[in-house]
Amino acid sequence: MSEHAFNIDNVGRWSEEISFAVDIDRSIAYTKATNDPTAQHLAGSVSPPVFAVVPALTDMAEATMSAVPDELMLRILHGEHDFRFHRPIVPGDTLKVRSRVVGIHGKSSGVVVTTNAKTRDEDDRLVNEQYFTGFFRGGNWPHQVGRPAPEHAFDQTLRARPADFVVEQKFDADQTFRYAEPAGDPMPIHTDDEIAKSMGLPGIIMHGLCTMAFTSHAVLSRVAPNNPDRLKRLAVRFASPGRPGQVMTTSIWNTGGGVFAFESVNNEGQVLIKDGLAEIQGA
């Protein structure tokens, strides 16, 4: 196999800044689309934590693809996502976003591209930052440039004791249809069964970030149900896609110092989310 041509000149290069106005109706729609029971999110007083991806999604995608050869663009899998929250997003905010690829790392079965986005408010204060890790299946690029995303690996010794919390949640039959519009992610593998099957999938699959949003309120409901703004970091590795109608069980371990490790499986025993990490201020 010939080597693919990744654009390493774009590593570390910031995108042009974009602006995003946070609409209260969209924030509430996102809350409902992820079955989030948090009162503040349903009222629209603050946006859900994973809503942070919405202002940055297009910019992160464009930054990522600027480093990727055309023939690999459709081979992307969302490998990991890592949010750092400095303050909640509030409907009415006008946010500024810019992104950059921070690393490209060749693996035996593909290539990992890591992109970092920073979101600031009108006063240039940092609201959140996030790391998006894309895995390009079949890419051949035996090199290492830049840095990978920060670590959040699960400590296997935790399995020696039961989880501190276990939360069951069900994906609704129409979950992906409700999520696609407020999230700004209309990819047809989430809404068209025939297209999903043509891509080698068993049918419509859940958006990874919708599944991640479910884990956010699984943790918050047990640790900080009335203070979602205490969530300061949320990071996951996507292991397998969930499907509408499935039940997801999230097991959560308190590792001390406000740090919680978690993983999620579906009712068929398939791991959906692994290496989950949540940092809760004051917990």
Side-chain angles (χ1 to χ4, degrees):
M1 180 189 295
S2 60
E3 183 177 310
H4 291 102
F6 281 80
N7 185 0
I8 62 173
D9 289 341
N10 279 350
V11 175
R13 180 179 295 169
W14 287 106
S15 65
E16 292 293 323
E17 189 174 83
I18 65 167
S19 179
F20 184 93
V22 182
D23 177 76
I24 188 170
D25 292 335
R26 187 170 184 178
S27 179
I28 293 173
Y30 190 93
T31 300
K32 293 179 177 179
T34 57
N35 296 8
D36 186 340
T38 309
Q40 295 94 320
H41 301 160
L42 287 166
S45 54
V46 295
S47 298
V50 178
F51 182 84
V53 74
V54 176
L57 183 62
T58 299
D59 195 59
M60 282 193 300
E62 290 179 356
T64 301
M65 295 307 179
S66 74
V68 177
D70 292 347
E71 63 270 22
L72 291 181
M73 287 186 177
L74 294 179
R75 297 189 190 179
I76 188 173
L77 293 174
H78 195 168
E80 301 180 44
H81 212 98
D82 187 345
F83 291 97
R84 312 294 181 93
F85 305 105
H86 297 272
R87 74 153 171 91
I89 291 174
V90 178
D93 277 337
T94 298
L95 302 173
K96 302 181 294 184
V97 181
R98 60 178 187 163
S99 307
R100 60 177 175 173
V101 172
V102 295
I104 307 175
H105 295 80
K107 306 291 182 181
S108 59
S109 56
V111 180
V112 174
V113 178
T114 304
T115 300
N116 171 231
K118 292 183 184 289
T119 300
R120 299 181 182 274
D121 62 20
E122 290 181 287
D123 296 321
D124 209 35
R125 293 173 298 197
L126 194 59
V127 176
N128 62 70
E129 54 186 321
Q130 51 194 294
Y131 289 87
F132 166 89
T133 301
F135 179 70
F136 292 85
R137 297 168 293 163
N140 180 32
W141 196 75
H143 309 286
Q144 310 283 312
V145 172
R147 56 188 171 89
E151 278 291 325
H152 51 92
F154 186 87
D155 179 358
Q156 296 297 326
T157 65
L158 293 171
R159 300 191 190 281
R161 62 178 176 87
D164 295 288
F165 309 102
V166 178
V167 181
E168 283 193 358
Q169 299 162 298
K170 185 174 181 178
F171 301 136
D172 297 330
D174 64 347
Q175 201 86 56
T176 61
F177 296 89
R178 288 163 39 218
Y179 182 83
E181 185 174 354
D185 188 348
M187 286 185 64
I189 58 172
H190 304 299
T191 55
D192 189 307
D193 209 51
E194 289 186 9
I195 290 178
K197 289 176 178 176
S198 74
M199 298 294 287
L201 298 166
I204 288 172
I205 62 171
M206 293 286 294
H207 298 75
L209 284 156
C210 182
T211 305
M212 187 177 186
F214 269 72
T215 68
S216 73
H217 53 80
V219 174
L220 285 169
S221 67
R222 296 302 187 271
V223 180
N226 300 314
N227 301 100
D229 58 327
R230 288 168 55 196
L231 180 63
K232 297 304 177 186
R233 184 183 180 191
L234 185 71
V236 304
R237 182 187 298 272
F238 299 106
S240 300
R243 299 200 61 204
Q246 289 183 336
V247 173
M248 181 174 75
T249 301
T250 300
S251 300
I252 305 163
W253 286 261
N254 185 346
T255 67
V259 178
F260 296 82
F262 63 89
E263 63 181 14
S264 305
V265 301
N266 65 18
N267 49 294
E268 299 171 4
Q270 186 177 35
V271 178
L272 305 183
I273 298 289
K274 61 182 182 178
D275 295 337
L277 180 73
E279 295 180 2
I280 310 291
Q281 187 177 54

